Amino acid sequence: MNNHFFSDWERVIVGISDDDLACFCTVSKEDGLTDNTFTPFIVYVFVGETYRGKRVSQQLLSYAETYLKELEFQSIYIVSGEIGLYEKYGYQKIKDCVTIHEFTENLFEKKLDVSLD
């Protein structure tokens, strides 16, 4: 971040409560897959221990999704080893994928409704 690693629309989204880091994630063009045909990604989803179990991750994902929807992306992707977490928020596993570190992970997708109201 300090070295301007993010470009264009890429962002870090941070949630702070009472001067305490509650959560963060990034929206990024890539997430270390060997197959670079997918974009954009929500990456590095983190919720501080104090804030877990309070639906903070849902709020964080929703904020990132709204941002990407405003940019008129039609789908969002998450790479994760978790099963059962992102499905609660409307993501569907679309395939296994291989990372640049040669790990097999799950690739999740969420379709966005970008129609103008």
Side-chain angles (χ1 to χ4, degrees), residues 2-72:
N2 290 333
N3 296 324
H4 306 286
F5 185 72
F6 293 100
S7 64
D8 299 328
W9 49 265
E10 294 178 303
R11 298 284 184 271
V12 176
I13 299 169
V14 178
I16 297 175
S17 177
D18 299 325
D19 294 327
D20 188 24
L21 176 65
C23 61
F24 69 84
C25 72
T26 64
V27 288
S28 178
K29 293 178 184 176
E30 300 177 356
D31 190 15
L33 298 182
T34 55
D35 177 356
N36 288 323
T37 59
F38 301 95
T39 198
F41 291 91
I42 296 177
V43 186
Y44 302 119
V45 177
F46 170 81
V47 175
E49 203 169 312
T50 305
Y51 302 95
R52 294 180 187 162
K54 299 178 182 177
R55 300 217 179 265
V56 173
S57 58
Q58 181 179 18
Q59 294 172 348
L60 181 64
L61 291 173
S62 179
Y63 188 91
E65 291 163 5
T66 298
Y67 171 67
L68 292 168
K69 183 176 177 177
E70 289 171 356
L71 295 173
E72 299 184 0

Side-chain angles (χ1 to χ4, degrees), residues 58-102:
Q58 181 179 18
Q59 294 172 348
L60 181 64
L61 291 173
S62 179
Y63 188 91
E65 291 163 5
T66 298
Y67 171 67
L68 292 168
K69 183 176 177 177
E70 289 171 356
L71 295 173
E72 299 184 0
F73 285 106
Q74 295 183 7
S75 293
I76 301 172
Y77 301 94
I78 295 177
V79 175
S80 175
E82 297 291 328
I83 293 289
L85 174 62
Y86 296 108
E87 294 91 335
K88 293 188 294 187
Y89 306 121
Y91 290 81
Q92 295 183 342
K93 180 180 174 180
I94 57 171
K95 69 179 213 166
D96 291 329
C97 57
V98 179
T99 69
I100 58 174
H101 303 291
E102 300 180 4

